[in-house]
Amino acid sequence: MSQTRQLHLGAILEGVGTDQNSWRDPALPSDASVNIDWYIENAKKAEASLFDLVFIVDSPYITPDTAPHFLNRLEPLTLLSALATHTSRIGLVGTLTTSYWEPYNVARQFGSLDHISRGRAGWNVVTTGLEGAARNYGRDEHFDHAERYDRALEFVRVVQGLWDSYEDDAFVRDKAAGLFLDKSKLHKLNHKGKFFRVDGPLALQRSAQGQPVIFQAGDSDAGRNLGAQIADGAFAAAQDFEAGQQYYADLKNRAAALGRNPDHVVVLPGLFPTLADTDEEAQRLHATQEEALSLDKLLVGLGRAFNYHDFRQYDPDAPFPDLTGVTLNSYKGHAEKIIRVAREKGYTLREAAWHLGRWKSPFIGGPETVADEIERWFTGRAADGFNLRVTNPRDFQIFRERVVPILQKRGLFRTRYEADTLRGHLGIPVPENRNASPLAEAAE
Amino acid sequence: MSQTRQLHLGAILEGVGTDQNSWRDPALPSDASVNIDWYIENAKKAEASLFDLVFIVDSPYITPDTAPHFLNRLEPLTLLSALATHTSRIGLVGTLTTSYWEPYNVARQFGSLDHISRGRAGWNVVTTGLEGAARNYGRDEHFDHAERYDRALEFVRVVQGLWDSYEDDAFVRDKAAGLFLDKSKLHKLNHKGKFFRVDGPLALQRSAQGQPVIFQAGDSDAGRNLGAQIADGAFAAAQDFEAGQQYYADLKNRAAALGRNPDHVVVLPGLFPTLADTDEEAQRLHATQEEALSLDKLLVGLGRAFNYHDFRQYDPDAPFPDLTGVTLNSYKGHAEKIIRVAREKGYTLREAAWHLGRWKSPFIGGPETVADEIERWFTGRAADGFNLRVTNPRDFQIFRERVVPILQKRGLFRTRYEADTLRGHLGIPVPENRNASPLAEAAE
């Protein structure tokens, strides 16, 4: 493993995209979100450019106004499993909610993906922001925000316990002697907690990287605390350099305060660039994209953080509305930030939708400019790397062919894979097997 | 589609196998059950031989005495998704229990597999036989047998409803006009039943075959009734011709009594042959396999139907024990049959273990003999086809290279794929979209 700090890159494979108009790009297949060939093609491109991982976002609730990619898309675990055998080095990370799954099933599926990919699986742990999801799972109301995070912590610990059901040398597989398993090396979990009771064991040995890598993206106080406890990697939401630095320092401090090595929590903000040959062209492109935005859809985007609260009911040119009674139980960190910023800046609703109802990227420019900004975030400890949104074919191509070589020339990014597993790429150690027998260890 | 009745063939990809000694075959990788390359290789071989489908069995509970394949294996949905993009015609069927999953998650994952495979997914609906599974899912006791089947029926209907969330022409994808979705063609399910409440909609359009194919394998009265209601295909457990005929007639009659076309319930018993160049050699091989069996392990196998009740506690040479108080809530149909047959025949425990503690196959012989027996079952309406267990490389090779050509020469089995979807191979119609608008249909 290389000694100097290295930039990490993820590719968010987002099909037709989660903003308003990306699906209309002539070069993008309009069924990309349900087209396995599009995903395979782009995962291979990311791997050819030595990215650490591809990432599949997810959520279990839609309305007719939901953004195009969310409306109709492949499910992360099935999709990532299909990608696993068309790639050999790149990490495969998917979102899955701890609010509406069983730990035993999650342990099996991510564990299985980790075997199929030979040690490249990652799980982005979320608690589900959208309250409407509850009604797809037999509940009238979504779990309370604080309870969601308590459940998530216990859920992850159960899953990790199940992943260690077998000691690493449990399977003898001696055909002549007729001994398949050393039964003494299979361990039940016998977990009884506040939210879950799971006896185990899991019918799966550990993988080439020991266990799948854990990611977390929560931005609220509870979300950051969860990340500090469980996350090997954090998908940060920072949209400018200063916010990036604050989040970075805060999360690493929280992890260190828990006795963890802060280098083992890799912070990867989203990177949604507008790229062109020159800065001027990129700015022109960006202006064109801005002009094509519809206020109606920006208002829907703004409402997503409030469980799709319908902001179209208000006068857009009146001050940002009073949201007393509107839920903050969805994407709490993001919703609180919208209210706070709108008040601080004295935004009208139209202005709030424009500035806060979508992802605004500071990464607009030609290859050198975007590489400079990436380097600034990296060296300024606002990021350990980035998660690049892959929708627009032009942006992805320029990034791979023009930006990555600049980052490599500057010694920031790898020029070949040095590891075979996702943990290896990220510099995250293989977790000790909690059922490792002391004798076996001593003998090694 | 061909007019004459055609034999169907499935390949149960069972890794190192669920019997005692199959894992010890020198030609079988001893990690086959967790080795994706083994599955891909054998799925491709099955497709090259024009099989209808591959099938991945499953259950969510193990003990240290569990058979080798069950102890340590890949999970069906991730595994089948990995197989989907290495094959192009063969159906991909996996087991998943309705007792410990959420319908919304199942609808998404099988729906997604159906897209990744472009219309080749199938779901074998089970209710879980092993009571111990309950304690991997927060419950003290498994659901009662009758309740399991009521839940299963409602579960499947919810999933099927979710699969029809979008009308078939809902996605306009007009880039110039900026219209992605015709919102009027997205429908909530709003299901409120005895066991489940699911609002929907699902974020996934229908697949190339409309919906995944539904399989069912229950052999109890409740299991057969469920199969008659929901199954497009039945994985039958019959171990001899007469039992095969009885099951076949019974299931088709139950389906017909419900107003269904009995030809649209395809009956596929398991086929676990011992094959060799000649009948004599196959019989010799079989005798060697029988000699290698351990009574201890046969007793464990016998106990599986009774939630791994430990039969090793009894005198093997005393009469079959009184099982008062031992659960019949696991594999009820199978457990009741064991007790009934052991009493009728006056078996000792040793004899019961020998005859009833494992799968006994009447398909032992050279290629012509096994082909004859297959034809007898097929023409005698004991089967519409078979599900071949793939573990032993020799048996699979002889079956593909010697038995299949005989079946083709006799006009029983296809000589090329005539369809691209699993429904197409099985002759099962694409289900009508319950949300199809009458106007859209009239215009077609």
Side-chain angles (χ1 to χ4, degrees):
Chain A
M1 209 169 295
S2 105
Q3 292 303 307
T4 54
R5 185 167 168 252
Q6 284 273 309
L7 186 81
H8 302 288
L9 289 175
I12 311 175
L13 300 185
E14 222 173 47
V16 294
T18 56
D19 54 14
Q20 283 186 27
N21 292 313
S22 52
W23 70 275
R24 298 171 71 178
D25 190 290
L28 184 70
S30 60
D31 68 346
S33 297
V34 290
N35 184 339
I36 189 63
D37 295 338
W38 181 87
Y39 288 98
I40 292 174
E41 180 190 327
N42 284 286
K44 284 182 164 178
K45 285 179 178 171
E47 185 169 76
S49 293
L50 307 173
F51 277 50
D52 295 71
L53 58 92
V54 296
F55 174 40
I56 309 295
V57 301
D58 198 47
S59 59
Y61 172 66
I62 57 166
T63 77
D65 291 318
T66 299
H69 174 64
F70 295 149
L71 279 172
N72 185 24
R73 55 173 156 170
L74 300 178
E75 180 278 336
L77 274 155
T78 46
L79 168 51
L80 290 166
S81 300
L83 299 182
T85 53
H86 290 275
T87 54
S88 62
R89 304 297 280 272
I90 197 164
L92 304 163
V93 184
T95 293
L96 187 141
T97 177
T98 54
S99 294
Y100 300 111
W101 279 76
E102 290 284 348
Y104 198 84
N105 295 336
V106 171
R108 288 195 70 198
Q109 292 202 323
F110 271 107
S112 186
L113 174 63
D114 212 19
H115 276 281
I116 293 169
S117 64
R118 306 198 193 284
R120 296 183 286 130
W123 170 23
N124 179 39
V125 176
V126 302
T127 71
T128 293
L130 298 166
E131 294 212 308
R135 291 189 296 278
N136 288 331
Y137 295 94
R139 289 176 59 91
D140 284 326
E141 295 198 352
H142 194 25
F143 296 101
D144 172 75
H145 189 269
E147 184 184 347
R148 291 210 305 267
Y149 281 90
D150 290 345
R151 280 176 61 93
L153 178 59
E154 187 181 329
F155 193 116
V156 171
R157 295 306 186 209
V158 170
V159 169
Q160 291 175 320
L162 289 168
W163 282 332
D164 283 354
S165 292
Y166 286 108
E167 294 181 38
D168 291 354
D169 56 351
F171 288 95
V172 181
R173 298 184 173 115
D174 183 335
K175 289 182 178 180
L179 186 63
F180 187 70
L181 165 71
D182 177 347
K183 293 181 192 179
S184 71
K185 297 187 173 175
L186 170 59
H187 301 274
K188 293 184 80 166
L189 181 65
N190 289 325
H191 172 85
K192 269 190 190 179
K194 187 172 167 196
F195 301 102
F196 302 103
R197 175 184 158 188
V198 180
D199 279 9
L202 196 75
L204 194 59
Q205 67 180 71
R206 279 169 44 119
S207 75
Q209 64 174 349
Q211 296 189 349
V213 179
I214 302 292
F215 293 86
Q216 219 277 318
D219 196 21
S220 65
D221 186 58
R224 291 180 185 201
N225 275 339
L226 178 65
Q229 288 176 87
I230 64 166
D232 304 307
F235 294 136
Q239 295 190 33
D240 62 54
F241 177 70
E242 290 72 24
Q245 281 187 316
Q246 282 163 20
Y247 176 87
Y248 186 101
D250 181 60
L251 189 71
K252 301 250 175 176
N253 287 340
R254 289 181 199 233
L258 294 167
R260 297 186 60 200
N261 180 343
D263 293 345
H264 296 166
V265 187
V266 176
V267 175
L268 305 173
L271 175 59
F272 302 169
T274 302
L275 274 157
D277 285 337
T278 65
D279 289 356
E280 295 68 34
E281 207 182 317
Q283 291 293 350
R284 230 180 357 253
L285 247 171
H286 179 65
T288 311
Q289 289 166 352
E290 296 277 292
E291 276 164 28
L293 293 175
S294 110
L295 176 64
D296 244 40
K297 291 183 177 174
L298 284 173
L299 290 170
V300 171
L302 188 71
R304 182 169 157 86
F306 303 85
N307 193 44
Y308 285 113
H309 178 69
D310 193 351
F311 280 99
R312 292 169 297 188
Q313 65 189 289
Y314 307 109
D315 176 358
D317 296 309
F320 188 75
D322 176 19
L323 295 179
T324 310
V326 174
T327 185
L328 293 181
N329 193 31
S330 280
Y331 295 102
K332 189 161 183 262
H334 187 42
E336 286 173 343
K337 188 169 143 195
I338 288 171
I339 294 174
R340 190 182 69 242
V341 174
R343 292 224 182 105
E344 281 171 9
K345 305 253 181 187
Y347 282 156
T348 62
L349 176 57
R350 184 190 301 272
E351 288 165 336
W354 192 259
H355 294 295
L356 308 171
R358 64 201 163 115
W359 193 281
K360 286 187 71 175
S361 177
F363 297 85
I364 301 164
E368 286 284 346
T369 298
V370 168
D372 288 348
E373 187 68 4
I374 287 173
E375 183 169 1
R376 184 167 80 106
W377 284 56
F378 179 67
T379 57
R381 302 269 171 179
D384 293 317
F386 291 90
N387 225 356
L388 175 75
R389 180 168 64 179
V390 174
T391 291
N392 185 289
R394 186 202 63 247
D395 290 332
F396 191 35
Q397 186 178 355
I398 297 177
F399 192 89
R400 288 181 290 111
E401 295 179 359
R402 310 273 302 273
V403 179
V404 166
I406 297 171
L407 298 171
Q408 288 170 325
K409 200 176 293 173
R410 295 182 188 177
L412 298 171
F413 189 60
R414 66 175 66 87
T415 51
R416 60 178 183 83
Y417 282 117
E418 294 173 17
D420 296 318
T421 67
L422 178 52
R423 284 181 190 277
H425 303 327
L426 295 174
I428 305 289
V430 172
E432 208 179 315
N433 189 333
R434 70 206 65 197
N435 287 315
S437 83
L439 272 175
E441 283 195 342
E444 269 168 18
Chain B
M1 211 169 297
S2 104
Q3 293 302 307
T4 53
R5 183 166 168 255
Q6 284 275 308
L7 186 80
H8 302 288
L9 288 176
I12 310 176
L13 300 185
E14 222 174 47
V16 293
T18 56
D19 53 16
Q20 283 186 26
N21 293 313
S22 52
W23 71 275
R24 298 172 72 177
D25 191 290
L28 183 69
S30 59
D31 68 347
S33 296
V34 290
N35 184 340
I36 188 63
D37 295 338
W38 182 87
Y39 288 98
I40 291 174
E41 179 190 327
N42 284 286
K44 283 182 165 178
K45 285 178 178 171
E47 185 169 78
S49 292
L50 307 174
F51 277 51
D52 296 71
L53 58 93
V54 296
F55 173 40
I56 309 295
V57 300
D58 198 46
S59 60
Y61 172 65
I62 57 166
T63 77
D65 292 317
T66 300
H69 174 65
F70 296 148
L71 280 172
N72 185 24
R73 55 173 156 170
L74 300 178
E75 178 279 337
L77 274 155
T78 46
L79 168 51
L80 290 166
S81 300
L83 298 183
T85 54
H86 290 274
T87 54
S88 62
R89 305 297 279 272
I90 197 164
L92 303 163
V93 184
T95 293
L96 188 140
T97 176
T98 54
S99 293
Y100 300 110
W101 278 77
E102 290 284 349
Y104 198 83
N105 295 336
V106 173
R108 286 196 70 199
Q109 293 202 322
F110 271 107
S112 187
L113 174 63
D114 213 18
H115 277 280
I116 292 169
S117 64
R118 306 198 192 285
R120 297 182 286 131
W123 170 23
N124 180 39
V125 176
V126 303
T127 70
T128 294
L130 297 167
E131 294 211 309
R135 290 189 296 279
N136 288 331
Y137 295 94
R139 289 176 60 90
D140 284 326
E141 296 198 352
H142 195 27
F143 296 100
D144 170 77
H145 190 270
E147 184 183 347
R148 291 210 303 267
Y149 281 90
D150 289 345
R151 280 176 60 94
L153 178 59
E154 188 181 328
F155 193 117
V156 171
R157 294 307 185 209
V158 169
V159 169
Q160 292 174 319
L162 287 169
W163 282 332
D164 283 353
S165 292
Y166 285 107
E167 295 181 37
D168 290 353
D169 56 352
F171 287 95
V172 182
R173 298 183 174 117
D174 183 334
K175 289 182 178 181
L179 186 64
F180 187 70
L181 165 70
D182 178 346
K183 294 181 193 178
S184 71
K185 296 185 174 175
L186 171 58
H187 301 274
K188 293 184 82 166
L189 182 65
N190 290 324
H191 173 84
K192 271 189 191 180
K194 187 173 168 194
F195 301 101
F196 302 102
R197 175 184 158 189
V198 180
D199 278 10
L202 196 75
L204 194 58
Q205 67 182 71
R206 279 170 41 121
S207 75
Q209 64 175 350
Q211 295 189 349
V213 178
I214 302 293
F215 292 85
Q216 220 277 318
D219 197 20
S220 65
D221 187 58
R224 292 181 184 199
N225 274 339
L226 178 65
Q229 287 176 87
I230 65 166
D232 304 308
F235 294 136
Q239 296 190 33
D240 62 54
F241 177 70
E242 290 72 23
Q245 281 187 315
Q246 281 163 21
Y247 175 88
Y248 187 100
D250 182 59
L251 189 71
K252 302 246 174 179
N253 286 339
R254 289 181 198 232
L258 293 166
R260 297 185 60 199
N261 181 341
D263 292 344
H264 296 164
V265 186
V266 176
V267 174
L268 305 174
L271 175 59
F272 303 168
T274 301
L275 275 156
D277 284 338
T278 65
D279 288 355
E280 295 68 33
E281 206 182 318
Q283 290 294 349
R284 228 176 3 249
L285 247 171
H286 179 65
T288 311
Q289 289 166 352
E290 296 275 293
E291 276 164 28
L293 293 176
S294 110
L295 176 64
D296 244 41
K297 292 184 176 174
L298 284 172
L299 290 170
V300 171
L302 188 71
R304 184 171 156 85
F306 303 86
N307 193 44
Y308 285 112
H309 178 67
D310 192 354
F311 281 98
R312 292 170 298 188
Q313 66 189 289
Y314 308 108
D315 175 0
D317 296 311
F320 188 76
D322 175 18
L323 295 179
T324 309
V326 173
T327 186
L328 293 180
N329 193 30
S330 280
Y331 295 103
K332 189 162 183 262
H334 187 42
E336 286 173 342
K337 187 169 145 196
I338 288 171
I339 295 173
R340 190 181 69 242
V341 174
R343 291 221 184 109
E344 282 171 9
K345 306 253 182 185
Y347 282 156
T348 63
L349 177 56
R350 185 191 300 274
E351 288 166 335
W354 193 260
H355 294 296
L356 308 170
R358 64 199 163 113
W359 193 280
K360 287 188 71 174
S361 178
F363 297 86
I364 301 163
E368 286 284 345
T369 298
V370 169
D372 288 349
E373 187 68 4
I374 287 173
E375 182 168 4
R376 184 167 80 106
W377 284 57
F378 179 68
T379 56
R381 301 269 172 181
D384 294 317
F386 290 90
N387 224 357
L388 174 75
R389 181 167 64 178
V390 174
T391 291
N392 186 287
R394 185 203 64 248
D395 289 333
F396 191 35
Q397 186 179 355
I398 297 177
F399 192 90
R400 288 180 291 110
E401 296 180 358
R402 311 273 303 275
V403 179
V404 166
I406 297 170
L407 298 172
Q408 288 170 325
K409 200 177 290 173
R410 295 182 188 176
L412 298 171
F413 189 60
R414 66 175 66 87
T415 52
R416 60 176 184 84
Y417 282 117
E418 293 173 17
D420 297 316
T421 66
L422 178 52
R423 284 181 189 277
H425 302 326
L426 295 174
I428 305 288
V430 172
E432 207 180 315
N433 189 332
R434 71 206 63 198
N435 286 314
S437 81
L439 271 174
E441 283 195 341
E444 269 167 18

